[in-house]
């Protein structure tokens, strides 16, 4: 997560008008912290035998996220208007 935080925040803030950048950053940070806490709780609640399967699922979700990110449109009219 540490390697991706800067890119995610930039993507979240660059797609909206500058006067709403603080709101976007706050929503992004809230989602990141809640997702991390939920992930730790879910993985901690699993029995040891289920952990490898969850690791494979998590890796697959990361690959899907990478695919979505690569295919996302790069032309942002809001960012261009700045």
């Amino acid at each position: 997560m540490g390697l991706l935080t800067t890119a995610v925040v930039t993507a979240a803030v660059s797609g909206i008008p500058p006067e709403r950048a603080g709101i976007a950053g706050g929503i992004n940070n809230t989602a990141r912290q809640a997702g991390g806490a939920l992930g730790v709780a879910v993985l901690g609640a699993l029995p040891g035998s289920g952990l490898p399967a969850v690791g494979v699922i998590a890796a697959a979700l990361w690959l899907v996220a990478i695919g979505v990110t690569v295919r996302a449109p790069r032309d942002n009219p809001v960012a261009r208007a700045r």
Side-chain angles (χ1 to χ4, degrees):
M1 268 176 62
L3 295 173
L4 299 176
T5 299
T6 303
V8 170
V9 171
T10 300
V13 174
S14 68
I16 58 165
E19 62 271 7
R20 294 190 178 255
I23 295 170
I27 291 171
N28 176 63
N29 284 332
T30 301
R32 182 175 48 84
Q33 290 178 8
L38 183 61
V40 168
V42 168
L43 290 177
L46 290 174
S49 61
L51 204 50
V54 173
V56 171
I57 292 169
L61 289 174
W62 272 102
L63 291 174
V64 169
I66 290 170
V68 169
T69 302
V70 169
R71 297 188 54 84
R74 301 275 187 235
D75 188 26
N76 184 343
V78 174
R80 198 172 355 117
R82 292 184 191 171

